[in-house]
């Protein structure tokens, strides 16, 4: 773009962001006349898959964070421009890339404490407990005896991870011992994966070193339906942006799809918008943020909201497509618009929509299948992942590697999931 860049922009370092989410983010900004006010850092291959919309951008694969920072700083010096905000999603680096960029370019961003709490699941749970966020019992350990404190069934997680990777459920001590050993082996084999770098953390009683290759979060399993939401925090308080119900797949922690709930469904399913907003206010205190768009994963157990985890960035999944379909923008775009002072009034729609994943474990999903689905739903409501867009290192036998894309379908309020999937992908010719 050369000299003369707008002096009122947002920088987005889109590390490991799926192409669908990134494409709809840009379409959202284009729709709202804000595309020229974003500078995007992403792999150049993204534009080979989605040539338009095309904002000012810096081609980088994020293989070397320090190189990325230098490249972006040099680009800004050459092309001009000034930034009033930054979007960072690099949780596996504890947002270190985003914080370094913000410091070098003088852009406001979250402090170190907020970034660590959003990235380290154990530190986050400790912050939840201090602020009264409802969450399950937990401990940090590599010893199966931790079950005496946490109880069964329990869930074991790497302290820094994403997309349900490095996680498993245990119903007895033998399974817990086996899973801890498996996770230790997988962590040691994950060479150069930043999620397993030694971390210095502060739990409120002094700083200590934490070794994610040996120490894992063990928490009581929470029963009930699983949901996710995004909430907006600003000087006026907290507002829930969207609520989605996840549909558990055959592998624990991985899902067959999700339903974006309309207002009627949010109340009918027992979540309750006001009650959820009250929980989100406590989460904002726990993460020590007063401005941003944050995601939350939670379950409703025995009628009560129990928070699984949260982050200081919007949710990154195919539910972005559902929000775009019903709202006209994605949560990521809402954050950009908020940082630019151009955020629209958020109104949760009365009715919802659903996304159904195309899973290769169920069907090959040939080109003919995809074309049949596009004839049924429309070109823009059937998305096929490009094979190069997988986010980050993937552990062996990760079920997410079987996902080929997804289908969006609307008017799903009150429908059972079997009816939703039949509407979305049923009736294709067998082969």
């Amino acid at each position: 773009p050369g000299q003369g860049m707008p002096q009122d922009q947002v920088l987005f370092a889109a590390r490991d962001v799926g192409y669908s989410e990134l494409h709809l983010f840009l379409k959202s900004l284009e729709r709202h006349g804000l595309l020229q006010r974003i500078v995007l850092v992403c792999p150049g291959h993204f534009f080979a898959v989605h040539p338009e919309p095309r904002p000012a951008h810096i081609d980088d694969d994020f293989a070397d964070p320090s190189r990325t920072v230098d490249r972006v700083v040099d680009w800004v010096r050459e092309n001009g421009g000034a930034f009033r905000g930054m979007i960072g999603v690099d949780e596996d680096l504890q947002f270190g890339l985003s914080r370094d960029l913000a410091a070098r370019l003088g852009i406001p961003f979250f402090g170190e404490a907020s970034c660590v709490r959003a990235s380290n699941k154990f530190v986050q749970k400790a912050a939840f407990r201090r602020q009264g966020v409802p969450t399950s019992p937990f401990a940090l350990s590599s010893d199966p005896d931790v079950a005496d404190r946490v109880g069964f069934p329990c869930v074991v997680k790497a302290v820094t991870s994403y997309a349900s990777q490095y996680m498993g459920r245990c119903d007895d001590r033998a399974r817990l011992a086996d899973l801890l050993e498996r996770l230790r082996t997988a962590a040691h084999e994950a060479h150069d994966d930043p999620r397993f770098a030694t971390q210095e953390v502060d739990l409120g009683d002094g700083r200590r070193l934490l070794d994610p290759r040996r120490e894992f979060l063990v928490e009581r399993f929470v029963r009930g339906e699983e949901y996710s939401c995004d909430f907006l925090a600003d000087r006026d308080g907290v507002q829930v942006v969207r609520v989605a119900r996840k549909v558990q797949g055959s592998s624990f922690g991985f899902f067959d799809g999700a339903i974006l709930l309309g207002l009627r469904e949010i109340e009918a399913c027992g979540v309750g918008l006001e009650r959820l907003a009250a929980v989100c206010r406590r989460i904002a205190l726990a993460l020590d943020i007063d401005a941003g768009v944050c995601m939350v994963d939670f379950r409703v157990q025995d009628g009560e909201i129990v928070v699984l985890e949260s982050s200081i960035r919007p949710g990154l999944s195919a539910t972005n497509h559902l929000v775009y379909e019903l709202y006209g923008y994605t949560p990521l775009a809402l954050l950009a618009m908020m940082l630019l002072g151009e955020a629209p009034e958020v109104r949760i729609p009365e009715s919802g929509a659903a996304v159904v994943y195309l899973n290769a474990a169920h069907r090959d999903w040939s080109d003919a299948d995809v074309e049949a689905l596009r004839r049924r739903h429309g070109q823009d409501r059937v998305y096929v992942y490009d094979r190069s867009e997988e986010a980050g290192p993937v552990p062996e036998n990760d079920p997410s590697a079987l996902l080929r894309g997804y289908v969006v379908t609307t008017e799903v309020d009150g429908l059972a999931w079997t009816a939703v999937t039949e509407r979305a992908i049923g009736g294709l010719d067998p082969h």
Side-chain angles (χ1 to χ4, degrees):
Q3 296 291 334
M5 291 289 292
Q7 298 298 299
D8 195 12
Q9 299 170 288
V10 164
L11 177 66
F12 180 18
R15 184 177 190 269
D16 291 339
V17 176
Y19 285 10
S20 168
E21 292 97 311
L22 194 52
H23 178 57
L24 293 169
F25 167 79
L26 296 176
K27 287 184 68 173
S28 300
L29 295 183
E30 182 181 52
R31 174 181 286 189
H32 289 263
L34 299 171
L35 188 66
Q36 77 282 4
R37 293 175 67 186
I38 187 80
V39 173
L40 177 67
V41 188
C42 72
H45 179 264
F46 166 75
F47 291 106
V49 179
H50 295 290
E52 300 293 338
R54 195 178 184 97
H57 63 277
I58 301 162
D59 180 2
D60 191 88
D61 62 5
F62 300 101
D64 181 345
S66 61
R67 184 196 66 186
T68 299
V69 172
D70 289 341
R71 181 174 291 172
V72 173
V73 170
D74 289 346
W75 188 96
V76 172
R77 286 173 179 162
E78 180 179 346
N79 292 278
F83 300 93
R84 61 183 289 169
M86 175 159 184
I87 298 174
V89 296
D90 48 312
E91 278 175 331
D92 55 333
L93 300 176
Q94 298 192 50
F95 297 94
L97 168 66
S98 297
R99 285 191 290 115
D100 287 350
L101 276 170
R104 292 276 296 274
L105 295 171
I107 307 173
F109 195 65
F110 301 107
E112 180 184 3
S114 295
C115 291
V116 172
R117 292 174 194 175
S119 304
N120 186 300
K121 299 177 190 296
F122 176 65
V123 176
Q124 181 176 115
K125 294 272 280 191
F128 283 171
R129 184 163 56 189
R130 290 195 297 271
Q131 292 296 338
V133 176
T135 194
S136 59
F138 65 97
L140 185 70
S141 183
S142 59
D143 188 335
D145 288 344
V146 71
D148 294 335
R149 287 180 282 159
V150 173
F152 289 110
C154 63
V155 177
V156 183
K157 301 177 180 179
V159 294
T160 303
S161 191
Y162 44 66
S164 297
Q165 295 177 355
Y166 299 104
M167 182 179 82
R169 172 177 164 166
C170 307
D171 292 319
D172 55 49
R173 194 176 299 269
R175 169 61 177 161
L176 176 57
D178 178 64
L179 182 57
L180 286 169
E181 182 59 33
R182 287 174 180 268
L183 283 179
R184 278 192 294 269
T185 300
H188 280 283
E189 291 176 350
H191 303 295
D192 301 323
D193 189 329
R195 290 175 289 183
F196 295 108
T198 300
Q199 302 175 21
E200 186 177 12
V201 300
D202 188 347
L203 302 178
D205 55 358
R207 300 183 77 84
R208 58 155 289 189
L209 290 179
L210 188 157
D211 183 356
R213 295 185 188 275
R214 295 181 55 255
E215 300 176 281
F216 302 96
L217 175 66
V218 183
E219 62 184 14
R220 178 87 55 81
F221 174 72
V222 182
R223 303 183 186 278
E225 296 277 9
E226 184 164 341
Y227 299 84
S228 69
C229 78
D230 289 323
F231 70 85
L232 185 153
D234 60 17
R235 67 184 65 182
D236 297 322
V238 158
Q239 180 181 9
V240 175
V241 173
R242 59 95 189 164
V243 181
R245 178 170 68 85
K246 301 181 179 182
V247 181
Q248 178 65 52
S250 57
S251 298
F252 175 69
F254 295 86
F255 302 94
D256 284 342
I259 298 177
L260 182 69
L261 305 181
L263 278 173
R264 293 189 298 267
E265 288 287 290
I266 292 172
E267 300 304 324
C269 73
V271 171
L273 200 58
E274 289 304 315
R275 183 170 64 152
L276 180 57
V279 171
C280 291
R281 281 191 285 273
R282 291 188 177 275
I283 292 172
L285 290 172
L287 298 178
D288 193 23
I289 67 161
D290 55 15
V293 178
C294 303
M295 62 76 60
V296 184
D297 288 332
F298 65 96
R299 286 180 180 252
V300 176
Q301 177 176 268
D302 299 328
E304 298 298 325
I305 293 173
V306 183
V307 177
L308 304 178
E309 58 189 45
S310 184
S311 186
I312 54 176
R313 49 118 179 120
L316 296 174
S317 72
T319 56
N320 275 262
H321 200 139
L322 300 179
V323 180
Y324 180 80
E325 185 80 21
L326 297 184
Y327 293 55
Y329 52 82
T330 70
L332 272 172
L334 177 63
L335 175 56
M337 290 187 274
M338 176 185 176
L339 294 172
L340 290 168
E342 301 284 353
E345 181 180 354
V346 176
R347 293 184 178 179
I348 296 175
E350 289 293 327
S351 58
V355 60
V356 178
Y357 288 115
L358 305 178
N359 192 319
H362 305 151
R363 190 183 181 99
D364 288 340
W365 301 110
S366 65
D367 291 345
D369 291 335
V370 172
E371 287 308 310
L373 292 174
R374 284 176 171 158
R375 287 193 297 272
R376 180 187 303 181
H377 298 284
Q379 188 76 15
D380 292 339
R381 288 184 175 177
V382 180
Y383 189 88
V384 177
Y385 297 133
D386 186 85
R387 65 183 60 184
S388 67
E389 65 175 288
E390 195 158 81
V394 177
E396 187 178 359
N397 300 322
D398 185 341
S400 65
L402 295 172
L403 300 184
R404 296 292 179 260
Y406 61 81
V407 173
V408 171
T409 183
T410 57
E411 299 177 1
V412 297
D413 284 17
L415 292 182
W417 183 248
T418 52
V420 173
T421 56
E422 180 63 26
R423 174 180 292 185
I425 61 176
L428 294 182
D429 292 335
H431 54 268

